[in-house]
Structures are given as C-alpha cells and as structure tokens.
Amino acid sequence: MARTKTSRQKLNETIEIDGRADTKRPTSLDQIWGADGLSKYGTMDLDEYESKLNDMMMVDLQNHARDVGLRPDVEAGVLRGRLINEFKKHVASYKGASSRAYSPTPKSVPSHIQKILKVGA
C-alpha cells in the first residue's frame, strides 16, 4: 500500500503540458537545499502579505524594508508598493523555472521560410 501512495505523490509533482511532462527546477541554492520561501516574508500568499503590510506602522515598514533590502526613506504608500513588488518577485522565483525553455511560435511564417524549414526536417 505504501508503494502506491508514493507513486501517487510523484504523479502529482509533475504537470503535463502539450503531451510533455513539465517539472519545476530549483532556481536558487536555497531551493536546492529545500527552503520553501517562507523564511523571508512568513507567507507566500499575496493577500495575506498585503494585510500584514496594512497593519504595520511606518517604523515597522521601514524595518521590514531594511530586512528585505530596500531603502526605507520614502513615504508609506510608495514603500508598500515597493515591498509588494519585491514580494511578487520572491514568490515568482520560488514557483520555479520550467524544465523546458519557452519559445513563442510566430503566428504566421512566410512561405520561403517554411520551404527552408521543410528541407531541414
């Protein structure tokens, strides 16, 4: 029974897009070592983080900005906006990079280019 549970868990870790398995790769050393990204902000939910910021006084916002690595010498509204942007970047980095490179396909390919591509195939 334990064997089927682990195989089910492994199936849930991969996502299939366009018939190919799309697994997430770690993008930083912290992710390789198993960090989940909660240590820096305490959450990975944007709404929860925004409510935390709204509850903070200006001094708390400035201290938090210093901890995150931002300059705290601006007004509260601007500082909240910058903190939210940094939070979004942090969350995006922990979502992981795709194992295959994204290459957008052009909407229309000229016929002379199609001929060249057919020869190489």
Side-chain angles (χ1 to χ4, degrees):
M1 291 264 180
R3 187 174 185 92
T4 58
K5 287 183 183 179
T6 56
S7 63
R8 285 183 192 158
Q9 289 173 351
K10 287 181 183 178
L11 287 176
N12 291 335
E13 291 174 3
T14 60
I15 300 170
E16 198 170 302
I17 299 174
D18 297 332
R20 294 195 280 181
D22 189 27
T23 58
K24 301 295 180 186
R25 293 186 313 201
T27 58
S28 70
L29 284 176
D30 291 335
Q31 293 173 4
I32 290 171
W33 292 331
D36 56 0
L38 293 176
S39 62
K40 191 170 185 178
Y41 293 96
T43 184
M44 295 295 274
D45 181 33
L46 180 61
D47 295 329
E48 185 178 338
Y49 182 66
E50 285 178 343
S51 68
K52 266 175 137 175
L53 290 180
N54 291 332
D55 292 341
M56 289 184 182
M57 302 285 284
M58 184 60 181
V59 174
D60 297 328
L61 279 173
Q62 290 174 334
N63 288 334
H64 180 58
R66 282 185 194 100
D67 292 341
V68 171
L70 294 176
R71 290 180 51 199
D73 58 351
V74 295
E75 65 181 25
V78 174
L79 189 55
R80 277 189 184 93
R82 289 181 183 172
L83 284 167
I84 289 171
N85 285 338
E86 286 298 314
F87 177 77
K88 287 178 182 177
K89 289 177 191 175
H90 175 76
V91 170
S93 73
Y94 270 86
K95 287 187 177 179
S98 176
S99 62
R100 60 185 180 144
Y102 174 72
S103 59
T105 56
K107 295 186 185 209
S108 62
V109 179
S111 61
H112 68 282
I113 294 177
Q114 287 179 356
K115 290 178 186 176
I116 294 170
L117 293 174
K118 285 181 184 177
V119 170

